[in-house]
Structure formats: structure tokens, C-alpha cells
Amino acid sequence: MTQPNAWPYPEPYEWADKPDSATQQAIDEAREDLAAGRSVICTSDAAFDALLHELSMDPHSKAS
């Protein structure tokens, strides 16, 4: 906060904890996907849960 009349509280990025390395990697990958024009839209909580489950699986166990 460089302005004397600025909001008296820190900006959100100043008081948010730094994410752990796995979360930071996920954030970085998501930003890369967005920059490349890729995105995933989940239309329900169940679809989101299924996507998370699929992404968390070991790639070797997915091969049939």
C-alpha cells in the first residue's frame, strides 16, 4: 500500500498464505491451460468429483 489514503487493510494477496507446492503446481498448470485456450467445464458437483477422481488415478491403472 503506497498511497496514504488507501484502504487501511492489506490487499488479499498480502494476507493470503502461500500455497503448498502441490497446490502451487495445480495453479500454475491451470494458468498455463487458460493461456493456451484450454478449459474444463463441469456442470455439476458430481461431474467435478468424477473429474477429480479421474485426474487423481495412477496413469498405469487407467490403461485397460
Side-chain angles (χ1 to χ4, degrees), residues 17-44:
D17 291 335
K18 184 176 178 181
D20 60 72
S21 61
T23 302
Q24 185 61 54
Q25 181 180 353
I27 291 169
D28 294 341
E29 290 173 1
R31 287 181 176 158
E32 290 171 9
D33 287 343
L34 289 173
R38 296 183 299 263
S39 61
V40 175
I41 298 172
C42 294
T43 57
S44 68

